[in-house]
């Protein structure tokens, strides 16, 4: 250290000046949870199931998302649609364990029919592990980000 650095005082003053420089800048602190961040479009919250216009799940129970999910958070049981004219396979059971999900987005990338996508929801909390396992209806009820609609191809 130089003699100047050994004095410490100039460095202390330099640090204080730096602090004062930021003191009057725009505040980035939010009063969470009353105030929320505006998240970027590509933000990966928890995955949600996408519904068709008549409110049914788009998923055809191909299980690709289940296979690619690294922490094995997805569980699907395939069944047949009650209306044979629409499609043959539907997920009789579709669960995502948010206690395991790492929000990686692999499920969204693997899905051939864009039936699952990452949402802006990140406040998934519970006092029990069981309640962290979301069922199909709960996954369909997770709100979508309207800014993402144009990103869908189908
Ligand atoms: S985001 Fe990743 S960890 Fe979560 S369900 Fe999808 S593939 Fe699994
Ligand atoms: S990849 Fe898509 S269509 Fe296939 S099971 Fe998963 S959500 Fe359903």
């Amino acid at each position: 250290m130089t003699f100047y650095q050994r004095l410490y005082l100039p460095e202390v003053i330099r640090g204080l000046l730096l602090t004062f420089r930021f003191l009057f800048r725009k505040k980035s602190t939010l009063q969470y949870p009353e105030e929320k961040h505006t998240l970027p479009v590509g933000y990966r919250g928890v995955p949600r199931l996408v519904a068709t216009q008549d409110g049914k799940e788009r998923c055809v129970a191909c299980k690709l998302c289940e296979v690619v999910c690294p922490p094995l958070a997805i569980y699907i049981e395939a069944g047949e649609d009650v209306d044979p004219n629409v499609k043959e396979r539907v997920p009789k059971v579709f669960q995502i364990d948010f206690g395991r999900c790492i929000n990686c987005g692999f499920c969204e990338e693997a899905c051939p029919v864009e039936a699952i996508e990452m949402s802006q929801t990140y406040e998934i909390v519970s006092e029990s592990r069981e309640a962290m396992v979301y069922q199909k209806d709960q996954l369909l009820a997770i709100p979508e980000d309207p800014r993402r609609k144009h990103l869908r191809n189908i």
Side-chain angles (χ1 to χ4, degrees):
M1 282 172 38
T2 62
F3 173 73
Y4 181 73
Q5 285 170 327
R6 274 173 202 277
L7 288 178
Y8 289 109
L9 201 59
E11 290 302 303
V12 170
I13 292 168
R14 213 160 66 91
L16 284 173
L17 284 176
L18 193 69
T19 306
F20 276 111
R21 235 176 60 208
F22 283 94
L23 203 61
F24 302 105
R25 286 201 184 171
K26 185 172 165 269
K27 285 181 191 154
S28 56
T29 308
L30 284 181
Q31 299 301 319
Y32 181 84
E34 287 79 19
E35 290 174 20
K36 302 268 165 76
H37 275 292
T38 304
L39 299 166
V41 179
Y43 179 81
R44 293 201 302 258
V46 294
R48 63 181 286 274
L49 282 180
V50 181
T52 56
Q53 283 193 337
D54 52 2
K56 288 181 72 179
E57 72 282 344
R58 230 188 240 219
C59 173
V60 292
C62 69
K63 294 188 172 220
L64 278 175
C65 56
E66 189 181 25
V67 171
V68 297
C69 179
L72 309 177
I74 301 178
Y75 174 73
I76 299 165
E77 271 178 36
E80 284 191 10
D81 199 313
V82 282
D83 183 356
N85 297 322
V86 184
K87 56 186 176 182
E88 288 177 1
R89 279 167 67 99
V90 290
K92 206 166 62 181
V93 177
F94 196 116
Q95 298 174 341
I96 300 183
D97 185 346
F98 288 133
R100 284 172 171 244
C101 175
I102 53 171
N103 303 49
C104 64
F106 283 8
C107 49
E108 181 184 29
E109 291 195 21
C111 183
V113 292
E114 301 190 3
I116 190 166
E117 68 179 17
M118 305 310 281
S119 71
Q120 299 270 307
T121 301
Y122 53 87
E123 294 161 317
I124 301 281
V125 288
S126 164
E127 290 183 357
S128 74
R129 283 174 182 264
E130 292 73 31
M132 292 295 280
V133 180
Y134 270 44
Q135 307 297 326
K136 188 171 71 176
D137 291 347
Q138 292 171 292
L139 294 168
L140 283 165
I142 295 173
E144 78 171 320
D145 179 6
R147 298 173 302 174
R148 285 182 61 114
K149 266 188 186 159
H150 71 282
L151 298 175
R152 268 191 226 129
N153 295 318
I154 51 176

